Amino acid sequence: ALPISMPIIFTQGEVTVGADVFTEDGDKAAVDLSKAKVTTPAGQSTLIEANEELGKLPMVKKDGKWLIDSKAYYSKLEDLTS
């Protein structure tokens, strides 16, 4: 049998998200998950490797809570895929 490598998404591991992934500017912010690390039995690597831009989530503060700004994110996805 040939050895099979599975994508990291299917591998059990521990994600480490440091304070540097969150940047705030008033009522807007961003979470950059490409700066997060994941540790698996194979070792440590970045959480997002293929397209780091997809891991940059725009946030907006509503009612005192940070939420993903889905309109801004989908707009960015359209720019990335077109």
Side-chain angles (χ1 to χ4, degrees):
L2 296 173
I4 298 172
S5 67
M6 295 184 75
I8 201 160
I9 193 168
F10 297 114
T11 304
Q12 194 171 25
E14 182 177 332
V15 175
T16 305
V17 179
D20 63 332
V21 303
F22 185 79
T23 55
E24 181 181 350
D25 184 16
D27 282 347
K28 295 196 177 216
V31 173
D32 187 353
L33 293 177
S34 69
K35 292 181 179 178
K37 304 283 184 208
V38 64
T39 303
T40 68
Q44 188 179 65
S45 66
T46 57
L47 182 63
I48 297 174
E49 293 180 352
N51 189 336
E52 292 180 0
E53 284 300 311
L54 294 178
K56 294 177 181 172
L57 306 175
M59 308 291 283
V60 63
K61 193 177 241 183
K62 290 196 178 186
D63 299 325
K65 296 180 182 178
W66 286 109
L67 305 172
I68 295 172
D69 186 342
S70 57
K71 285 185 181 182
Y73 188 68
Y74 285 122
S75 180
K76 181 170 77 167
L77 287 179
E78 287 178 352
D79 291 344
L80 288 172
T81 58
S82 60

